[in-house]
Amino acid sequence: PEVALDVVDRLRATVPDVRLRLVGPDKDGSGAALRAALTARGLAGHVELVGPIPPSAVPGELAAADVFLNTAT
């Protein structure tokens, strides 16, 4: 997710209303650090931490997105 934050940070200079929705579980326990990074970088208004969603909601999330980025390893 750090690379995605870098992209949002750079894009907001030319696309002030850029938004990122991070969907999925916090598998590695980095959620608290991610929230702190959002605040420290001034990105809290641009990034939404959705968390896990049911499989039935995935198609709607994908349809609403302009870009899909899989950060899972």
Side-chain angles (χ1 to χ4, degrees), residues 24-59:
D26 179 10
K27 290 183 181 179
D28 63 2
S30 63
L34 185 57
R35 282 187 287 284
L38 291 175
T39 300
R41 295 173 71 168
L43 295 175
H46 296 276
V47 179
E48 180 181 359
L49 302 177
V50 177
I53 61 172
S56 61
V58 172

Side-chain angles (χ1 to χ4, degrees), residues 21 23-25 50-65 68:
R21 287 174 56 86
V23 178
V50 177
I53 61 172
S56 61
V58 172
E61 287 289 336
L62 292 173
F68 169 76

